[in-house]
């Protein structure tokens, strides 16, 4: 008998499960058209020969500096911002699982005992005991209009969006470590250049002081030489400060003090990176984690419309129990008992609560669409800017190196003329300043060119690897 009742209840539960979610009031998801041009502004000429898509080029392959690779690996293990992003994925996954569990009935095992007076038919009072044991399903919602299903879908979409946010965090971290590392290397080279310049100007100042003491130079020549020397000292102090600040920024990204056992750093002139293929915007942009994150947020907003619309229809709940009952504890498991109860609740008057909830859900969907389109447009701009840098920085660097070399040659010639009395000290100081400025600018352009390669890799979606995929 007990087995038959359990079979009946199981069949009823299966029927309810089949009926649940048969009507879905959420709009079908369609990816909005990307409001950007079909080609990058630079056109097909912006492509790099023998390049690969950034998403197919892991950061271990893109970067060639072993010191930088080890720093990135340390950052992926220790960076606190990335750690928080990954933990947020765990939180979102757990919340999605909690919401998904609401689609299934919760079965509880219960044991109850009750004892109290009861009046008999002839007016006598007696003490009656009731013992019950069995399984209970309390207030299970029959999800005919997919309210619970859409709640679960929205929660799952938010979980996926959180996973994409973690991927974006990893990509940003990889690019941030690379850019900070290159900045520190540029600071080191600028310090070396400034120290060399300062030593040269110190020698010139000593020579000018000697000439002035012997009446062979004017006070104007001496003051000009002192000004040039002090300018180099000020530049050195600034370079030392900038180097320390950039080193602090790199240390923060790595998440620990930089180990002394790291390989030697490559100079900027020896830094090389993988060749990148820009591809078509319609293919590149939809693969970026931030764009995928925005799309999943749109999916969640659409599911919430289904949740809001379901409030227009009856809410069906079911409460069941099956087990045993007896007035004597010793006979508790000898008699079976079961019950089933259902209720339906239909809104009649709610002062516009449901209507406004649906309107708010629709407005939130339009917001999500606008945010998705803005994300795509921002991504397009970032890639276009990086491609513009790739198309121009190489030529700028070649021109700047050529200018620095020309200024160095001019300095040698002016110095030779000065030593032979054919050029003034002002001519020499002017040549020194121009050479130093050209060398500084060449170093800055080289740094910008390398950091632009890192930025292009980042905005094209590069920076992940197969071994570490958030979510």
């Amino acid at each position: 008998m007990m087995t038959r009742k359990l079979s009946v209840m199981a069949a009823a539960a299966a029927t309810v499960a089949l009926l649940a979610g048969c009507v879905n009031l959420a709009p079908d998801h369609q990816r909005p058209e990307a409001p950007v041009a079909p080609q990058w502004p630079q056109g097909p000429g912006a492509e790099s020969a023998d390049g690969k898509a950034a998403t197919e080029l892991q950061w271990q392959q893109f970067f060639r500096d072993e010191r930088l690779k080890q720093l990135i690996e340390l950052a992926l293990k220790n960076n606190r911002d990335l750690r928080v992003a990954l933990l947020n994925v765990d939180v979102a996954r757990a919340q999605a699982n909690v919401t998904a569990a609401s689609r299934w009935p919760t079965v509880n095992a219960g044991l109850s005992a009750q004892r109290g007076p009861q009046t008999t038919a002839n007016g006598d009072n007696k003490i009656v005991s009731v013992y019950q044991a069995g399984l209970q399903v309390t207030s299970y919602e029959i999800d005919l209009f997919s309210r619970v299903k859409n709640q679960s879908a929205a929660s799952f979409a938010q979980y996926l969006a959180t996973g994409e946010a973690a991927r974006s965090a990893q990509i940003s971290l990889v690019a941030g470590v690379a850019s900070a590392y290159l900045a520190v290397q540029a600071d080191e080279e600028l310090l070396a250049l400034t120290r060399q310049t300062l030593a040269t100007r110190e020698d010139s100042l000593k020579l000018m002081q000697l000439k002035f003491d012997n009446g062979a130079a004017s006070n104007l020549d001496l003051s000009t030489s002192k000004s040039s020397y002090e300018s180099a000292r000020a530049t050195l102090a600034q370079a030392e400060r900038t180097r320390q600040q950039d080193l602090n920024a790199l240390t923060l990204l790595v998440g620990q003090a930089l180990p002394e056992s790291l390989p030697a750093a490559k100079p900027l002139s020896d830094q090389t990176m993988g060749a990148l293929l820009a591809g078509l915007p319609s293919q590149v942009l939809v693969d970026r984690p931030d764009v995928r994150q925005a799309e999943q947020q749109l999916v969640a907003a659409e599911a919430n419309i289904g949740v809001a619309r379901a409030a227009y229809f009856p809410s069906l709940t079911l409460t069941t129990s099956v087990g045993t009952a007896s007035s004597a504890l010793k006979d508790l498991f000898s008699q079976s008992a079961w019950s089933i109860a259902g209720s339906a609740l239909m809104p009649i008057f709610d002062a516009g609560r449901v209507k406004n909830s649906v309107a708010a859900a629709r407005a939130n969907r339009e917001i999500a669409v606008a945010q998705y389109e803005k994300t795509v447009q921002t991504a397009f701009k970032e890639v276009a800017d990086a491609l513009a840098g790739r198309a121009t920085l190489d030529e700028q660097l070649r021109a700047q190196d050529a200018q620095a070399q020309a200024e160095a040659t001019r300095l040698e010639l002016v110095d030779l003329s000065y030593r032979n009395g054919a050029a003034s000290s002002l001519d020499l100081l002017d040549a020194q300043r121009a050479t130093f400025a050209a060398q500084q600018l060449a170093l800055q352009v080289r740094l910008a060119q390398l950091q632009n390669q890192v930025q292009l890799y980042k905005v094209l979606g590069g920076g992940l690897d197969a071994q570490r995929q958030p979510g």
Side-chain angles (χ1 to χ4, degrees), residues 273-297:
M273 300 176 194
L276 295 174
L277 186 67
L280 296 175
S282 58
Q283 298 172 345
V284 173
L285 299 181
V286 296
D287 286 335
R288 281 185 34 150
D290 57 338
V291 175
R292 291 202 298 259
Q293 177 186 359
E295 184 175 4
Q296 289 302 325
Q297 289 170 340

Side-chain angles (χ1 to χ4, degrees), residues 97-371:
N97 289 336
V98 169
T99 307
S102 301
R103 299 182 61 186
W104 300 96
T106 300
V107 180
N108 300 306
L111 177 65
S112 64
Q114 181 178 350
R115 184 176 177 81
Q118 182 178 8
T119 303
T120 62
N122 57 12
D124 297 332
N125 290 330
K126 67 176 182 177
I127 302 300
V128 176
S129 299
V130 178
Y131 301 94
Q132 292 182 332
L135 303 178
Q136 296 180 348
V137 176
T138 306
S139 299
Y140 169 61
E141 181 174 351
I142 303 174
D143 196 26
L144 294 179
F145 302 99
S146 301
R147 187 188 74 86
V148 180
K149 178 181 178 180
N150 283 316
Q151 283 181 331
S152 177
S155 184
F156 185 71
Q158 289 293 351
Y159 155 62
L160 294 179
T162 306
E164 298 299 343
R167 291 180 175 87
S168 291
Q170 178 174 326
I171 288 174
S172 297
L173 177 61
V174 169
V177 172
S179 294
Y181 169 77
L182 293 170
V184 171
Q185 292 308 110
D187 294 337
E188 295 285 1
E189 295 185 21
L190 180 59
L191 273 173
L193 176 62
T194 306
R195 291 191 181 103
Q196 180 183 355
T197 301
L198 181 61
T200 300
R201 293 187 183 181
E202 185 177 12
D203 292 340
S204 298
L205 177 59
K206 290 178 180 178
L207 179 60
M208 189 62 67
Q209 183 70 54
L210 182 61
K211 288 184 175 182
F212 176 77
D213 293 341
N214 289 281
S218 67
N219 192 27
L220 175 60
D221 293 334
L222 179 61
S223 297
T224 302
S225 184
K226 285 183 178 179
S227 175
S228 181
Y229 170 73
E230 295 301 334
S231 175
R233 286 185 60 197
T235 302
L236 179 63
Q238 180 183 359
E240 289 175 340
R241 180 176 66 254
T242 301
R243 175 194 174 278
Q244 188 58 53
Q245 290 173 342
D246 287 343
L247 185 60
N248 292 340
L250 177 60
T251 303
L252 178 62
L253 288 172
V254 172
Q256 66 171 66
L258 306 189
E260 296 181 358
S261 59
L262 291 173
K266 286 185 178 181
L268 293 186
S269 58
D270 292 340
Q271 292 286 347
T272 58
M273 300 176 194
L276 295 174
L277 186 67
L280 296 175
S282 58
Q283 298 172 345
V284 173
L285 299 181
V286 296
D287 286 335
R288 281 185 34 150
D290 57 338
V291 175
R292 291 202 298 259
Q293 177 186 359
E295 184 175 4
Q296 289 302 325
Q297 289 170 340
L298 172 58
V299 172
E302 291 168 342
N304 285 329
I305 292 178
V307 174
R309 285 175 173 173
Y312 279 122
F313 300 92
S315 173
L316 307 177
T317 58
L318 181 68
T319 298
T320 65
S321 66
V322 59
T324 61
S326 175
S327 59
L329 185 59
K330 65 178 181 178
D331 299 325
L332 175 60
F333 297 103
S334 62
Q335 302 180 32
S336 63
W338 63 274
S339 67
I340 181 169
S343 65
L345 188 63
M346 178 76 177
I348 300 299
F349 175 76
D350 62 359
R353 183 180 293 108
V354 175
K355 178 182 178 181
N356 286 294
S357 295
V358 173
R362 286 173 173 165
N364 283 329
R365 180 193 180 276
E366 296 306 312
I367 292 173
V369 170
Q371 289 174 335

